[in-house]
Amino acid sequence: MRRGDRRRRVLVWGGAGGGLVAVGSAALLWDPGQALAWTAGVVAAAAAAYLGQLAPLHLQQALARRRAGRELTEGEPLAVSVDIRNQDYVTLDFGDRVADVPAAGHTVRIVVTSTGPSAVLLTGIRAEVLSRDVLPGDLSRHAAEVPVRRFEALLDADPPEVRALGESDFPYRIAADESEVLDLVASTEHGLVQWVLWLNWMSAGRQGSTRIDLAGRPFHTAARRPGAA
């Protein structure tokens, strides 16, 4: 067998098996003068091919991170949970049903949590009355709880007014993964009021208002009977 034929066999074996070290060693036996240069070229080509295979994966990961960041900044940068506390009840007759409605003086507790990468500045809160009705009812009492940050929602005002009860008032700054707890005492002296809250915020150069209600349903507040404390 001629020397050229043997070298071609070595090259074919190296391409099929991928053993670069073995190919380089065999080449040294046949042509020590050119083997080192040939082996370095093969290693460089293999490294380039390997990096070329990885590049799309790295690009996909970077694009996924960019998309996730964009989706986060395009939505509202906060999460809100709501709970009704300190409530007495007025039992109202709606004609087709009888239901217990929180009486005026109950507390709406709001927990606001920052969910975005930037801090959120809460700039204010307002109430919106959706309806009013005059219905008879009987008052039943329940035990109260101590609030955290206290506010009063004056539902009979036009427009409704939310004011601080104490020294603490807006704005409040909540950092990423932190929370702020707000307690609003609902006040009305006229019938049954359906209402929601709107929490104003600013974050990373953006601003907006988040509606606060009971899982898509408005709050219901009934006036106490005259003479009821």
Side-chain angles (χ1 to χ4, degrees), residues 51-125:
L51 293 177
Q53 293 175 355
L54 290 184
L57 177 60
H58 293 166
L59 181 59
Q60 292 174 7
Q61 292 174 344
L63 291 176
R65 288 193 297 268
R66 183 175 300 177
R67 283 194 300 267
R70 183 166 57 251
E71 291 172 358
L72 183 61
T73 57
E74 289 176 353
E76 294 181 348
L78 47 83
V80 178
S81 63
V82 179
D83 187 23
I84 303 295
R85 302 194 172 207
N86 303 344
Q87 66 264 40
D88 295 338
Y89 289 94
V90 177
T91 302
L92 297 178
D93 186 355
F94 290 89
D96 59 341
R97 61 188 176 89
V98 175
D100 290 334
V101 177
H106 66 271
T107 297
V108 178
R109 171 163 290 184
I110 304 166
V111 179
V112 185
T113 303
S114 173
T115 59
S118 302
V120 179
L121 183 66
L122 306 181
T123 59
I125 194 168

Side-chain angles (χ1 to χ4, degrees), residues 26-41:
L28 284 172
L29 297 176
W30 300 108
D31 195 344
Q34 299 181 0
L36 293 179
W38 175 84
T39 303

Side-chain angles (χ1 to χ4, degrees), residues 76-78 120-121 123 199-203 206-210:
E76 294 181 348
L78 47 83
V120 179
L121 183 66
T123 59
L199 181 64
N200 302 329
W201 52 265
M202 297 175 60
S203 178
R206 302 184 301 125
Q207 59 183 356
S209 296
T210 297

Side-chain angles (χ1 to χ4, degrees), residues 99-151:
D100 290 334
V101 177
H106 66 271
T107 297
V108 178
R109 171 163 290 184
I110 304 166
V111 179
V112 185
T113 303
S114 173
T115 59
S118 302
V120 179
L121 183 66
L122 306 181
T123 59
I125 194 168
R126 57 189 172 89
E128 177 186 358
V129 171
L130 303 182
S131 70
R132 299 183 189 274
D133 292 300
V134 178
L135 296 172
D138 297 323
L139 178 67
S140 59
R141 299 184 180 278
H142 293 260
E145 298 180 4
V146 178
V148 180
R149 291 193 189 271
R150 301 185 66 243
F151 291 83

